[in-house]
Amino acid sequence: MKNILTSTIAIVAVLVAFTSCNNSGKSNNSGALSSNNAEKVYVAPGEHDSHYAFISGGYSGNLTVYGLPSGRMFKEIPVFSQFPTNGYGYSEETKPMLETSYGFVPWDDSHHPDISQTKGELDGRWIFINGNNTPRIARISLTTFETEEIIEVPNSAGNHSSSFITENTEYVVAGTRFSVPVPQKDMSIKDYKGNFKGALSFISVDPEHGHMDIKFQVLMPGFNYDLSHPGRGKSHGWFFFTTYNTEEANTLLEVNASQNDKDFIAAINWKKIEEYVNNGGGTMMPANYAHNVYDEATHTATSTMKKEVRVVNPSEVPGAVYLLPTPKSPHGCDVDPSGEYIVGNGKLSANLTVHSFTKMLDAIENKKFAGDAYGIPILNFEDVLAGSVEQPGLGPLHTEFDGKGNAYTTFFISSEVVKWKLGTWEVIDRKPTYYSVGHLTIPGGNSAKPFGKYMFAMNKITKDRYLPTGPEMEHSAQLYDISGDKMELLLDFPTHGEPHYAAAIPAEIIKNNSKKIYRLAENEHPRKATNDAEVKIVRDGKNVHVYMTMIRSHFSPDNIEGVKVGDKVFFHVTNLEQDFDVPHGFAMIGANNAELLIGPGQTRTLTWEPKQVGVWPFYCTDFCSALHQEMQGYVRVSPASSNIELSWSLGDD
Amino acid sequence: MKKASIIMIIGSLLLLGLFKFPLWNIMLGAPQYPDPLGMNIYINGIQGVSEFDLQNIDGLNHYIGMKTIPKPDEMWEFSVFPKVILAMVILGVTIGSLGVFKKISYKFFLGWFILMSILGVLGMYDFNSWLIDYGSNLDPHAIIKVTNPDGTPMSYKPPLFGFQKLLNFDVTSLPHTGGYLMFVGMSLTLVAFWLGRKASLKKI
Ligand SMILES: [Cu+2]
């Protein structure tokens, strides 16, 4: 107990030291400079930003889309959480997206978005993001900006070292943060050490459709797997994961997991394991995990439970896995654009450690091992070390690269971004952030080709940067111009949820592929009504299916009779518009499952269980035209015993 | 005279462009339509410039009670115009060919031009009266009724040629590729006439 106290005091003391240091730097950017900065972020009305930024919503479970350099938020894309704005996770078509082996999970914690790549460069087809709490990986289309697929990850817990992808989007990885019993069983937590396992999942991505499938899981020792990055260029074929708690402690981890001077970066030769697996290696293990796929043609998601997964014991594939000692509880694990340098951000270390891929191969070749952990060879720290950045700041977390030989690292405790040079390891510049920065992003920074004009830092604490909004505030991002030698702070902008990590890309790569409507002619929803002749109401026992259409400014039908108390009414509503950005809403009084928002050409279903006799209105919730207020209708609800036949109408005749 | 006759043939053949390219184009832009809606008028029907333009124009027009844009089988013009154009092409080529073999006077070139001009004026007259009907023969149950300052109902007739403001829409009506090819073709027949005349004057 005394130890904790002293270490806390020490950290506070250091904090104070760094804070005062930051204050002196703060006065630099004001006056003439800031008016110049205003021009750099000004995007005139009607003009477009040059970059898209996809910022994780963290504990919102979603992904938000921003423009750079303006910092304007364009959209929130629902991924792992129900989303009232468009009914994702509420409408019958989208509910299956949130199914898991634990049942329906309506809220999760999303962390690391990553854009698909071809030959190491961003191709703008999809963006992947991980659900942390109930381990899942999602794939989002960058033509519709909708979540198209979610795969659950079995044998995992705290899906944190995800969702990073290899240089041709061969795999997206899902590394477990918490090791757990595999398979799960009732056992004493005290017996953690040596018994728990950390599953690192390699999820293959179909090159054409993007469909995901867990190809194999490597069952690693029971450490915590924190972050990961793929090798690229010369190190393509490898994947690197930081670990902490190599002590394998199971209680009071803030102390007990910080005892070892060095933890590891696990280097996985996935090509080798892939080959092993393709030759029948590994074992199929019973499992239960959901695979949810949204079909753009039927506008409907389906959820299937998968029943087994292939697991690989690393000691069975010699030469596939090595451990690189890295000080001290490394968090980030970042690979430079050339693939040579692997930066281990030891969050409790004074120096920043950089490993060399070439040296690693060399040490492996010469079998220079310091020992092993559960049969996995450990390399010598000195043999793999490329260099270290001396005393760059406090609490290094994450590093990105500008493609010009520079690296940018965030320091959480000292709240700053430090720019340093690869190879010489010298610090070039440092800029304070406000406050407690986590990740940072350079467009393309996680690829072989970064677009090094902008960098933005994502901060955990916002206080005093904006007008106060009570004790809880949105987090904040800060945009820097990194085109010169020195970084220049251009803009603060609030973000939604926790801006955990982000991926950014030049707008040109995406914007011309963005879909404007869903073509009615391609709508394959089984209960669509693509013109007024297809409108109908069908009773099936107590279920009543209403096949309804909507167009500016009416519903067809707008009068419905013959519904009874105790019925379950399914409104299958098709939006007949074929005009960019003209959705309509559908709201039914007393519906317990929210409302709908239906894009042009789309079909959505709302379930309504009328509980009272009466005549009940429905209406359009999206102000769609001059006659939006008139876009309404009624459903007559009769007693359960009534024998009024179903009927419906539009107009008087 | 041979040169003049060949130009006559080329000129009348250019009318064939009307079977491929639109004769006329009307664009409707408004603040909420930064990409304007547009219709291309062909001799055999009307098509949207983009795939769903006609549907969206009809959707907007129903507020003010305009009829929907006619399908090819809803107007006799769309079956007659192609026949008239084809007949004029055949006639023009025949006259030109006869001119090559000196079986016919250059004056026939002018005759063709005058006939084509009359037909053209008739066509424009017909087109304009359709526009008047389209823009002013409104559904009495129209949702929005706008009147001119003098109290008469507003007409939504698009301009026959040029630019006009219709409520919140900027409407531009101009010939399109097929139309330009027709004008060039007709001008060539005039040139043919002029060259033919010059050649015959020289002989005298
Ligand atoms: Cu509406």
Side-chain angles (χ1 to χ4, degrees):
Chain A
M1 194 63 198
K2 213 174 171 187
N3 276 345
I4 310 172
L5 219 76
T6 29
S7 67
T8 312
I9 289 166
I11 287 179
V12 169
V14 173
L15 248 173
V16 170
F18 269 89
T19 311
S20 50
C21 167
N22 284 350
N23 281 347
S24 59
K26 202 173 176 177
S27 54
N28 290 343
N29 64 64
S30 57
L33 254 182
S34 21
S35 64
N36 183 24
N37 290 349
E39 279 168 27
K40 286 183 180 171
V41 299
Y42 183 69
V43 178
E47 296 198 346
H48 288 169
D49 280 278
S50 63
H51 292 72
Y52 285 97
F54 297 90
I55 304 186
S56 152
Y59 48 69
S60 82
N62 292 337
L63 182 68
T64 42
V65 188
Y66 287 77
L68 299 180
S70 73
R72 299 180 292 196
M73 179 181 154
F74 300 143
K75 188 176 197 170
E76 179 167 1
I77 303 172
V79 187
F80 298 112
S81 296
Q82 278 180 307
F83 191 59
T85 304
N86 67 4
Y88 176 88
Y90 294 101
S91 63
E92 296 305 317
E93 288 79 4
T94 54
K95 277 182 187 172
M97 293 304 281
L98 301 180
E99 283 300 331
T100 74
S101 63
Y102 307 92
F104 185 78
V105 178
W107 187 6
D108 205 326
D109 178 21
S110 64
H111 268 209
H112 307 112
D114 205 8
I115 296 170
S116 58
Q117 297 182 16
T118 304
K119 293 181 179 151
E121 293 182 20
L122 303 188
D123 61 26
R125 300 204 289 163
W126 306 297
I127 186 163
F128 298 83
I129 192 166
N130 53 322
N132 227 359
N133 178 26
T134 306
R136 285 173 279 181
I137 299 283
R139 179 177 55 82
I140 295 144
S141 157
L142 289 181
T143 58
T144 61
F145 288 61
E146 286 203 59
T147 305
E148 284 189 335
E149 190 174 3
I150 293 180
I151 193 163
E152 193 183 349
V153 186
N155 300 327
S156 269
N159 174 32
H160 195 266
S161 37
S162 319
S163 53
F164 301 102
I165 55 174
T166 54
E167 71 175 30
N168 294 299
T169 320
E170 295 97 337
Y171 291 99
V172 50
V173 302
T176 194
R177 175 173 154 206
F178 310 112
S179 284
V180 288
V182 176
Q184 274 289 6
K185 62 179 173 192
D186 175 21
M187 64 177 280
S188 172
I189 301 167
K190 285 198 162 42
D191 298 332
Y192 178 118
K193 194 166 189 166
N195 290 313
F196 283 33
K197 290 266 177 289
L200 306 180
S201 309
F202 284 75
I203 300 168
S204 60
V205 179
D206 177 276
E208 200 181 333
H209 303 105
H211 287 160
M212 300 187 288
D213 188 27
I214 302 179
K215 177 105 173 175
F216 57 87
Q217 294 189 310
V218 186
L219 291 185
M220 296 286 287
F223 312 148
N224 289 42
Y225 297 85
D226 207 6
L227 264 176
S228 67
H229 263 84
R232 58 178 60 97
K234 61 171 85 168
S235 54
H236 176 55
W238 290 77
F239 226 105
F240 305 94
F241 294 80
T242 44
T243 66
Y244 66 96
N245 192 22
T246 51
E247 297 86 350
E248 294 183 73
N250 62 284
T251 183
L252 197 57
L253 257 58
E254 69 170 323
V255 174
N256 293 332
S258 307
Q259 296 304 309
N260 287 349
D261 181 49
K262 295 193 175 60
D263 294 286
F264 300 120
I265 285 178
I268 314 260
N269 186 336
W270 59 259
K271 280 214 166 143
K272 201 157 222 166
I273 303 181
E274 179 186 60
E275 192 190 324
Y276 170 75
V277 162
N278 286 343
N279 291 326
T283 47
M284 294 308 287
M285 179 180 153
N288 191 29
Y289 58 102
H291 185 209
N292 310 330
V293 179
Y294 181 81
D295 183 323
E296 198 185 305
T298 61
H299 299 278
T300 304
T302 46
S303 180
T304 21
M305 285 296 160
K306 295 206 163 184
K307 294 297 176 193
E308 51 180 14
V309 68
R310 184 178 296 274
V311 295
V312 172
N313 179 342
S315 61
E316 283 169 13
V317 197
V321 183
Y322 297 92
L323 299 173
L324 285 52
T326 307
K328 189 177 172 182
S329 298
H331 182 61
C333 176
D334 301 290
V335 181
D336 85 303
S338 73
E340 167 63 11
Y341 296 119
I342 304 133
V343 183
N345 304 281
K347 60 184 186 277
L348 305 179
S349 163
N351 298 338
L352 197 64
T353 307
V354 185
H355 296 306
S356 155
F357 178 72
T358 313
K359 283 185 163 186
M360 181 192 93
L361 286 190
D362 206 51
I364 293 169
E365 180 112 337
N366 295 312
K367 298 206 162 50
K368 293 205 231 164
F369 302 135
D372 75 294
Y374 301 99
I376 302 170
I378 301 172
L379 301 167
N380 286 303
F381 177 66
E382 294 74 20
D383 290 342
V384 293
L385 185 71
S388 52
V389 187
E390 303 285 335
Q391 310 264 348
L394 263 194
L397 289 187
H398 303 284
T399 302
E400 294 239 324
F401 309 90
D402 63 6
K404 294 176 279 194
N406 302 307
Y408 301 72
T409 301
T410 54
F411 290 82
F412 181 78
I413 299 175
S414 51
S415 263
E416 59 185 332
V417 177
V418 174
K419 176 180 178 180
W420 50 277
K421 199 162 185 58
L422 287 159
T424 70
W425 324 118
E426 67 188 308
V427 170
I428 296 168
D429 188 24
R430 61 198 322 138
K431 282 284 178 309
T433 61
Y434 309 101
Y435 309 90
S436 297
V437 60
H439 276 272
L440 77 172
T441 296
I442 290 171
N446 181 31
S447 74
K449 188 188 162 197
F451 305 88
K453 180 170 165 55
Y454 296 117
M455 175 272 289
F456 55 101
M458 287 155 274
N459 307 319
K460 310 297 182 195
I461 294 172
T462 310
K463 54 185 163 202
D464 93 0
R465 297 303 286 183
Y466 311 119
L467 285 176
T469 56
E472 182 199 344
M473 294 187 74
E474 294 284 20
H475 291 199
S476 169
Q478 296 190 291
L479 182 72
Y480 296 79
D481 181 338
I482 56 165
S483 52
D485 276 352
K486 302 282 177 192
M487 299 175 269
E488 261 192 79
L489 176 60
L490 299 179
L491 180 72
D492 276 16
F493 59 98
T495 60
H496 193 51
E498 187 215 4
H500 192 93
Y501 180 47
I505 184 169
E508 269 61 40
I509 301 177
I510 291 183
K511 72 173 182 186
N512 296 325
N513 299 329
S514 180
K515 233 186 175 102
K516 296 192 165 175
I517 57 163
Y518 297 99
R519 296 168 63 92
L520 265 182
E522 290 167 6
N523 182 326
E524 289 171 22
H525 191 291
R527 298 194 195 263
K528 68 181 185 232
T530 54
N531 58 63
D532 286 355
E534 291 175 8
V535 164
K536 62 183 172 181
I537 305 184
V538 180
R539 177 178 284 284
D540 171 16
K542 286 202 172 293
N543 291 341
V544 176
H545 292 280
V546 182
Y547 296 68
M548 185 184 264
T549 65
M550 59 193 345
I551 195 160
R552 282 164 287 184
S553 323
H554 64 266
F555 294 99
S556 177
D558 63 0
N559 279 335
I560 298 171
E561 305 205 357
V563 170
K564 295 180 243 182
V565 171
D567 282 345
K568 198 170 186 180
V569 183
F570 298 89
F571 295 100
H572 309 285
V573 193
T574 304
N575 181 347
L576 299 184
E577 305 284 352
Q578 295 286 268
D579 196 356
F580 185 24
D581 192 31
V582 185
H584 291 289
F586 179 81
M588 180 76 228
I589 188 171
N592 293 108
N593 196 23
E595 312 162 3
L596 299 174
L597 187 81
I598 309 162
Q602 215 174 29
T603 305
R604 284 278 179 262
T605 301
L606 180 78
T607 314
W608 177 56
E609 295 177 64
K611 295 179 184 77
Q612 292 175 59
V613 164
V615 178
W616 307 100
F618 55 85
Y619 70 99
C620 172
T621 51
D622 185 0
F623 208 112
C624 52
S625 71
L627 292 149
H628 160 73
Q629 279 314 81
E630 284 74 8
M631 194 163 170
Q632 62 183 51
Y634 285 106
V635 183
R636 172 183 174 186
V637 178
S638 307
S641 57
S642 150
N643 50 17
I644 295 174
E645 285 296 305
L646 275 177
S647 66
W648 59 93
S649 62
L650 172 71
D652 300 346
D653 344 296
Chain B
M1 181 65 185
K2 193 173 177 187
K3 199 157 105 192
S5 305
I6 289 169
I7 289 174
M8 177 67 204
I9 294 173
I10 294 171
S12 29
L13 281 175
L14 281 179
L15 264 60
L16 288 174
L18 286 169
F19 287 90
K20 172 110 171 92
F21 302 106
L23 170 67
W24 216 266
N25 167 273
I26 299 179
M27 295 305 288
L28 304 116
Q32 70 270 41
Y33 286 98
D35 293 331
L37 299 170
M39 44 183 161
N40 283 329
I41 297 158
Y42 291 78
I43 50 169
N44 56 3
I46 300 177
Q47 284 180 20
V49 171
S50 299
E51 189 178 1
F52 297 107
D53 281 1
L54 292 193
Q55 176 180 333
N56 290 324
I57 291 169
D58 283 342
L60 292 167
N61 286 351
H62 101 279
Y63 289 117
I64 47 174
M66 281 165 92
K67 287 187 282 291
T68 55
I69 295 161
K71 307 275 175 298
D73 56 0
E74 287 167 348
M75 279 177 69
W76 60 266
E77 286 89 341
F78 293 132
S79 55
V80 171
F81 282 6
K83 288 175 193 148
V84 171
I85 296 295
L86 195 63
M88 286 307 290
V89 172
I90 293 169
L91 185 63
V93 171
T94 312
I95 292 173
S97 309
L98 291 174
V100 172
F101 300 108
K102 303 196 175 110
K103 296 251 161 44
I104 205 167
S105 154
Y106 66 89
K107 286 173 185 158
F108 278 86
F109 300 170
L110 184 64
W112 184 94
F113 177 81
I114 291 168
L115 178 61
M116 187 62 208
S117 301
I118 292 169
L119 288 171
V121 168
L122 284 176
M124 294 295 266
Y125 176 79
D126 181 72
F127 178 45
N128 194 50
S129 45
W130 171 71
L131 286 178
I132 291 172
D133 181 62
Y134 180 64
S136 57
N137 184 4
L138 305 174
D139 183 345
H141 296 295
I143 307 159
I144 297 174
K145 288 185 183 116
V146 187
T147 50
N148 295 313
D150 64 3
T152 54
M154 180 152 172
S155 161
Y156 300 96
K157 176 193 170 294
L160 182 64
F161 184 91
F163 171 84
Q164 195 178 319
K165 189 111 185 143
L166 283 176
L167 292 184
N168 57 328
F169 276 90
D170 296 322
V171 186
T172 313
S173 173
L174 291 172
H176 207 287
T177 314
Y180 290 121
L181 285 173
M182 181 179 77
F183 296 136
V184 172
M186 285 176 68
S187 312
L188 284 181
T189 63
L190 260 192
V191 171
F193 165 71
W194 180 73
L195 283 175
R197 184 161 176 271
K198 218 166 82 173
S200 75
L201 285 178
K202 253 188 206 160
K203 265 180 214 160
I204 300 164

